[in-house]
Amino acid sequence: SITLNSFKIRMWKREYGAKYTQNNFITAVRAMNEFCLKPSDLEQLRKIRRRSPHDDTEAFTVFLRSDVEAKALDVWGSHEALARERNLRKEVEREYQENIFRNQRLLQEYKDFWGNTKLFTYLCSVLRNGLNFFFKLLAWVYTGSASMFSEAIHSLADTCNQALLALGISQSVRNPDAVHPYGFSNMRYIASLISGVGIFMMGAGLSWYHGIMGLLHPEPIESLLWAYCILAGSLVSEGATLLVAINEIKRSARQQGLSFYEYVMQSRDPSTNVVLLEDAAAVLGVILAAGCMGLTSLTGNPAYDSLGSLGVGTLLGTVSAFLIYTNTEALLGRSIQAERVQKLTEFLENDPAVRAIHDVKATDMGLSKVRFKAEVDFDGRVVTRSYLEKQDIDQILNDIQRVKTPEELENFMLKHGENIIDTLGAEVDRLEKELKQRNPEVRHVDLEIL
């Protein structure tokens, strides 16, 4: 037993130098990866055929490690240059892997987003509004009804708005870059804001103009039978889509612990809210237009039809104002719910290394992402104990006993002071990592040390 242990010790202490390893074999792939060589660099080296350990695989070619090392020095000039190239390639590989991970995460978010908002239903809504616009426009050309013209403009505004929102969604999943380190998730809010300012206001303006001109210069209206049929079909399609949007928002509101009203007013999902508002306004607009056209048919007075156009324009203006308000609030940097902020704060305060938390800010960045910032007062005694637990206490005592001069004391304090600061940085990294793991919606954490 003693002889066997002595043999193990001698084997463990043996040093394998260059003389031992120079005859080692190395494959072409390893030669290119480890020594930063190209296939053309290996063509002039000695090639050795080795039998494959697998029966169904042919023999493969290897090179002597010493030959590969000599070729690498010839190509790069020195060990230092080769080491720099290795480090550079490792950095490039690391960035490549990070980009792959980031792209996979963004792709998953993109799939989750479309899955949550029912992509098929959304695209069908765009097609439906386009068809409604076409048929309403034909009805207006045939009847000359101001209310039908307003409804056609309304459907056109809905179609353009959804197309613009789709563009904003596609831009919101772009990768962060040096100019936009927090990504482009707010593009959804920007698209909705542009939609509210431009398309809906344009629709409201045209409706008001057409209604006012109809009041100032009334003209007889042709038969409204086809107009009623088109409005009835539009009411059925718009009403069905409205029910789908309401159910979707109720489900999303329950997941976040909000009421239906709170979810809509806080605009947690602008795409869903836009569809809800469009469909609600469309249903009300169809009812208003049909009612005013009915009064015109009963009384023969075209003024009611013009008033219907003014009413649809007012409806569009109201929706526009709501979209502008909610998306402006989102772009200004809205805080998440107080309960969620309290939950994040309590997690930090319950950590033994934390004495107190100050100046907490948790901002909704869109796409269910949260940016969390807080100032942390760390307990220096806990941090120091964490450092000492990883040290050799006897060695530290010996170092203290050897301190005889102010210079030696300064060196001792500088050494351990720097290590304690590193330990504090590690504590910050630990808290940020655990905060993200426990709360997946928190993507950016900034903890400042007091």
Side-chain angles (χ1 to χ4, degrees):
S1 176
I2 297 176
T3 304
L4 180 60
N5 290 334
S6 301
F7 175 74
K8 289 182 177 179
I9 292 173
R10 288 198 300 271
M11 289 293 293
W12 181 73
K13 291 183 177 180
R14 177 178 292 174
E15 295 181 359
Y16 299 98
K19 184 178 180 180
Y20 180 84
T21 59
Q22 65 181 356
N23 292 323
N24 283 5
F25 296 126
I26 184 171
T27 63
V29 174
R30 284 190 59 191
M32 289 186 291
N33 290 337
E34 295 183 15
F35 294 93
C36 306
L37 298 176
K38 296 180 291 186
S40 58
D41 297 328
L42 304 177
E43 293 178 355
Q44 304 301 322
L45 301 182
R46 286 179 293 176
K47 300 179 179 64
I48 302 172
R49 299 287 289 176
R50 298 287 292 176
R51 182 181 63 86
S52 172
H54 305 286
D55 295 334
D56 57 346
T57 306
E58 297 181 357
F60 59 96
T61 302
V62 295
F63 304 88
L64 284 174
R65 186 182 184 91
S66 56
D67 292 347
V68 174
E69 290 178 348
K71 185 63 177 178
L73 290 177
D74 181 54
V75 171
W76 296 105
S78 64
H79 289 286
E80 291 76 13
L82 177 59
R84 287 195 298 270
E85 181 64 20
R86 283 173 175 168
N87 293 333
L88 178 61
R89 294 192 181 191
K90 287 181 180 179
E91 183 65 23
V92 172
E93 177 67 16
R94 185 185 64 80
E95 292 179 357
Y96 174 75
Q97 294 296 334
E98 288 181 353
N99 286 333
I100 290 179
F101 174 75
R102 186 184 301 114
N103 290 337
Q104 290 175 341
R105 186 178 65 186
L106 290 174
L107 180 62
Q108 185 61 44
E109 291 175 353
Y110 185 77
K111 291 179 179 179
D112 292 342
F113 174 78
W114 282 115
N116 291 336
T117 53
K118 295 182 173 59
L119 174 60
F120 180 75
T121 303
Y122 183 82
L123 294 179
C124 288
S125 180
V126 175
L127 178 62
R128 171 182 54 77
N129 282 322
L131 291 175
N132 283 341
F133 163 70
F134 176 74
F135 287 114
K136 288 177 181 178
L137 187 65
L138 290 180
W140 168 69
V141 172
Y142 178 73
T143 63
S145 168
S147 295
M148 186 57 68
F149 173 80
S150 297
E151 274 300 296
I153 294 299
H154 189 171
S155 295
L156 176 62
D158 289 348
T159 304
C160 295
N161 172 59
Q162 290 172 353
L164 184 61
L165 184 60
L167 176 63
I169 292 171
S170 66
Q171 293 295 312
S172 68
V173 296
R174 289 169 56 191
N175 290 340
D177 54 31
V179 181
H180 308 90
Y182 292 105
F184 299 83
S185 57
N186 280 338
M187 282 300 299
R188 295 193 303 166
Y189 301 117
I190 295 174
S192 297
L193 181 62
I194 295 175
S195 172
V197 173
I199 298 174
F200 272 115
M201 290 303 292
M202 178 187 68
L206 287 175
S207 298
W208 285 330
Y209 171 78
H210 208 71
I212 293 173
M213 294 302 295
L215 291 175
L216 296 178
H217 308 286
E219 296 181 1
I221 298 177
E222 302 294 335
S223 173
L224 297 176
L225 176 62
W226 286 108
Y228 290 138
C229 293
I230 291 174
L231 287 178
S234 178
L235 179 62
V236 172
S237 63
E238 300 284 4
T241 310
L242 176 61
L243 292 177
V244 172
I246 291 175
N247 291 331
E248 177 66 22
I249 290 183
K250 285 182 177 179
R251 184 183 64 82
S252 300
R254 283 196 302 269
Q255 290 178 350
Q256 298 192 19
L258 299 174
S259 66
F260 182 88
Y261 176 78
E262 289 173 338
Y263 188 89
V264 173
M265 291 303 297
Q266 295 175 8
S267 187
R268 296 295 171 181
D269 187 352
S271 58
T272 305
N273 285 355
V274 166
V275 173
L276 171 70
L277 292 174
E278 286 178 353
D279 293 334
V283 170
L284 293 176
V286 168
I287 295 174
L288 182 61
C292 292
M293 290 167 60
L295 290 175
T296 297
S297 298
L298 292 175
T299 62
N301 186 357
Y304 292 110
D305 183 62
S306 299
L307 291 176
S309 179
L310 292 175
V312 173
T314 302
L315 190 62
L316 284 171
T318 303
V319 172
S320 170
F322 180 82
L323 288 176
I324 292 172
Y325 169 75
T326 55
N327 287 282
T328 300
E329 286 291 309
L331 288 171
L332 287 175
R334 176 184 51 206
S335 176
I336 63 176
Q337 293 92 342
E339 295 80 8
R340 297 172 64 191
V341 176
Q342 182 65 25
K343 176 184 175 183
L344 298 174
T345 304
E346 288 179 352
F347 168 76
L348 293 177
E349 290 178 338
N350 291 333
D351 192 276
V354 176
R355 182 183 289 121
I357 301 294
H358 306 280
D359 193 24
V360 177
K361 294 182 176 68
T363 308
D364 185 356
M365 300 175 60
L367 279 178
S368 300
K369 297 179 181 178
V370 174
R371 180 184 179 185
F372 182 81
K373 177 262 179 186
E375 295 180 356
V376 183
D377 182 9
F378 282 92
D379 191 332
R381 296 170 299 179
V382 175
V383 174
T384 304
R385 288 195 185 100
S386 176
Y387 167 70
L388 292 176
E389 289 173 356
K390 303 174 183 178
Q391 306 302 312
D392 186 347
I393 300 300
D394 294 333
Q395 181 63 41
I396 294 179
L397 290 175
N398 292 333
D399 292 342
I400 293 175
Q401 292 173 0
R402 286 197 295 267
V403 172
K404 304 298 181 182
T405 65
E407 291 77 10
E408 293 176 346
L409 176 61
E410 180 181 3
N411 292 332
F412 176 84
M413 296 298 296
L414 289 176
K415 172 187 174 182
H416 292 283
E418 182 178 3
N419 292 337
I420 291 176
I421 294 300
D422 292 339
T423 302
L424 180 59
E427 290 293 319
V428 173
D429 294 339
R430 176 183 63 82
L431 287 175
E432 292 180 349
K433 182 179 180 180
E434 292 181 359
L435 194 65
K436 292 179 180 179
Q437 289 177 342
R438 292 174 177 267
N439 305 274
E441 74 277 7
V442 178
R443 298 299 177 84
H444 304 281
V445 180
D446 300 320
L447 298 182
E448 300 178 4
I449 302 173
L450 285 179

